[in-house]
């Protein structure tokens, strides 16, 4: 049975639980700058380079991973949000990108395989690819709207390199997450499809959009429905939303997506909205109660946490939706569906 089929079988029986973020948990480990750098020989200050920790302090990542498994997570995403050549250039660590991704996937692969060998519960490794710190849809120069710091082809190459490392390390799926720029996401999709052809294997895609305002648009201006129209051709295993807001604010957008996406829906909101200090105060029980509403209304197939979430939040959500039937995939009428910033459907 392929990993895609294993996921489909598991998703048919329960609402699957995704893990939470790694950044907060890494901060709790109180690593010094030297701990981040390890024996890499990097000259720049590496403090805050959470992706590098996969290489230099793998035991820290493994401990976090185990805490999410203990909390009930079935889908564990690699700690590789910025493990790409563009983002790592800020730390002078571009040459370590492949190693970082391989190591990140291996850590989680070993952890979930050990856990599943003990209890028989299916678990999956999602190789996470963040949006990079460049945008293809918008110019960083207000005086030159046509200017771009990178090209589409360059972004594709960056993502091919990252995805290759994640698959080599043992990732089951590639998760294109926190998509603020639709064109960046399209480049990531193309990269994975190129890698599929290169390796001669199926690489299931997970795609997760992030919204920048309550009207329901990402930074490049696409509505949830328009974004879905632009990526549906990739036939993702899951489509969903993450970050941006807490569960209460994300609810109407999850509802829209649930009605139109004929694939599994995975959402992982922040633990509420940040306070004046940028910290998250929402308690695990509150997050769990809010996301239980999604489950009760048949809106969700996989559920996890983003910024501010902890293993305690994941455990509370897992307990709250235990035994609740997963969302049934909708049957969508066949029409030509196009999109600018708004969706456009040509119906007979």
């Amino acid at each position: 049975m392929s990993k895609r089929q294993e996921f489909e079988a598991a998703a048919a029986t329960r609402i699957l639980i995704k893990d939470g973020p790694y950044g907060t948990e890494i901060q709790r480990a109180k690593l010094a700058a030297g701990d981040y750098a390890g024996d890499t020989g990097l000259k720049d200050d590496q403090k805050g380079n959470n992706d590098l920790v996969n290489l230099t302090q793998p035991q820290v990542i493994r401990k976090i991973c185990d805490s999410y498994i203990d909390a009930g997570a079935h889908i564990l995403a690699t700690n590789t949000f910025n493990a790409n050549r563009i983002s790592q250039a800020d730390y002078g660590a571009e040459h370590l990108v492949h190693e970082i991704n391989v190591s990140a996937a291996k850590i989680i692969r070993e952890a979930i395989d050990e856990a599943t060998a003990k209890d028989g519960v299916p678990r999956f490794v999602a190789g996470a690819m963040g949006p990079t710190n460049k945008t293809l849809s918008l110019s960083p120069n207000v005086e030159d709207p046509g200017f771009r710091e990178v090209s589409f082809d360059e972004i594709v190459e960056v993502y091919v390199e990252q995805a290759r490392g994640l698959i080599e390390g043992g990732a089951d799926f590639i998760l294109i997450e926190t998509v603020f720029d639709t064109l960046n996401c399209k480049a990531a999709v193309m990269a994975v499809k190129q890698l599929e052809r290169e390796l001669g294997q199926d690489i299931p895609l997970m795609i997760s959009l992030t919204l920048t305002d309550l009207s329901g648009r990402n930074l490049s201006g696409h509505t949830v429905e328009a974004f879905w129209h632009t990526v549906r051709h990739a036939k993702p295993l899951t489509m969903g939303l993450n970050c941006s807001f807490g569960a209460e604010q994300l609810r109407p957008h999850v509802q829209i997506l649930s009605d139109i996406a004929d694939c599994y829906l995975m959402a992982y909101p922040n633990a509420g909205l940040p306070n004046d200090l940028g910290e998250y105060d929402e308690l695990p029980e509150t997050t769990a109660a809010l996301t239980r509403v999604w489950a009760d209304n048949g809106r969700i197939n996989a559920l996890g946490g983003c910024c501010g979430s902890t293993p305690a939040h994941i455990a509370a959500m897992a307990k709250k939706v235990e035994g609740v039937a997963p969302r049934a995939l909708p049957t969508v009428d066949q029409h030509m569906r196009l999109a600018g910033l708004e969706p456009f459907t040509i119906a007979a």
Side-chain angles (χ1 to χ4, degrees):
M1 185 183 295
S2 69
K3 287 299 179 180
R4 182 188 295 272
Q5 291 170 325
E6 285 184 29
F7 183 94
E8 291 170 345
T13 63
R14 65 175 71 179
I15 294 174
L16 299 176
I17 302 298
K18 184 194 171 295
D19 61 1
Y22 280 73
T24 305
E25 299 303 302
I26 291 173
Q27 290 175 6
R28 289 181 179 178
K30 300 187 183 304
L31 300 177
D35 297 323
Y36 279 90
D39 60 0
T40 59
L42 293 167
K43 295 180 181 179
D44 295 344
D45 184 4
Q46 298 300 313
K47 191 169 180 61
N49 188 356
N50 292 336
D51 304 79
L52 187 62
V53 178
N54 293 299
L55 267 184
T56 58
Q57 304 294 332
Q59 75 284 355
V60 172
I61 303 302
R62 174 59 189 264
K63 184 177 179 181
I64 298 169
C65 180
D66 287 340
S67 71
Y68 282 126
I69 291 174
D70 292 341
H74 308 108
I75 305 164
L76 286 99
T78 55
N79 173 46
T80 51
F81 188 82
N82 289 308
N84 60 76
R85 186 167 290 272
I86 291 173
S87 299
Q88 285 301 308
D90 292 343
Y91 296 97
E94 305 97 309
H95 61 291
L96 295 175
V97 163
H98 183 76
E99 293 178 62
I100 291 171
N101 284 283
V102 171
S103 179
K106 278 185 175 179
I107 294 167
I108 297 185
R109 177 86 269 157
E110 291 171 0
I112 70 167
D113 285 351
E114 288 178 19
T116 298
K118 292 177 182 177
D119 60 20
V121 176
R123 296 180 179 87
F124 308 94
V125 183
M129 301 202 307
T132 81
N133 53 20
K134 307 295 182 185
T135 175
L136 288 170
S137 295
L138 303 170
S139 171
N141 184 351
V142 294
E143 296 180 354
D144 185 0
F147 174 72
R148 299 293 185 272
E149 292 182 292
V150 291
S151 70
F152 184 88
D153 289 344
E154 287 170 338
I155 292 286
V156 171
E157 290 176 5
V158 164
Y159 279 132
V160 168
E161 179 183 31
Q162 183 176 11
R164 184 182 289 112
L166 291 168
I167 295 299
E168 183 178 323
D172 300 313
F173 319 127
I174 293 296
L175 168 61
I176 304 169
E177 67 170 337
T178 320
V179 175
F180 65 79
D181 185 329
T182 302
L183 199 53
N184 282 43
C185 179
K186 299 279 276 187
V189 168
M190 179 173 283
V192 174
K193 294 303 178 183
Q194 285 186 9
L195 190 61
E196 275 188 331
R197 292 192 293 271
E198 176 188 318
L199 300 178
Q201 70 180 74
D202 175 38
I203 304 176
L205 273 172
M206 294 174 159
I207 299 175
S208 190
L209 175 68
T210 190
L211 305 176
T212 54
D213 59 59
L214 290 173
S215 71
R217 294 180 186 271
N218 67 351
L219 187 64
S220 56
H222 293 86
T223 66
V224 171
E225 187 172 359
F227 178 80
W228 170 241
H229 286 188
T230 69
V231 299
R232 183 173 179 265
H233 71 280
K235 297 184 166 112
L237 180 64
T238 69
M239 174 62 201
L241 297 156
N242 77 288
C243 205
S244 308
F245 312 118
E248 182 66 21
Q249 293 79 17
L250 208 58
R251 180 189 56 77
H253 309 296
V254 169
Q255 181 173 334
I256 290 171
L257 191 57
S258 176
D259 288 335
I260 62 175
D262 51 353
C263 65
Y264 298 102
L265 196 156
M266 180 167 73
Y268 45 116
N270 292 344
L273 296 173
N275 59 28
D276 291 341
L277 298 176
E279 298 177 347
Y280 293 84
D281 301 321
E282 187 169 278
L283 297 175
E285 294 73 20
T286 303
T287 305
L290 291 170
T291 51
R292 170 63 190 252
V293 175
W294 301 355
D296 286 341
N297 286 285
R299 298 297 185 184
I300 199 78
N301 299 105
L303 176 67
C306 203
C307 302
S309 302
T310 66
H313 287 81
I314 302 305
M317 285 188 278
K319 183 177 180 181
K320 201 73 172 177
V321 300
E322 186 175 359
V324 180
R327 163 182 171 268
L329 272 61
T331 300
V332 181
D333 293 337
Q334 295 299 307
H335 297 301
M336 177 179 285
R337 292 181 168 85
L338 308 172
L341 298 182
E342 302 282 346
F344 182 74
T345 300
I346 300 177

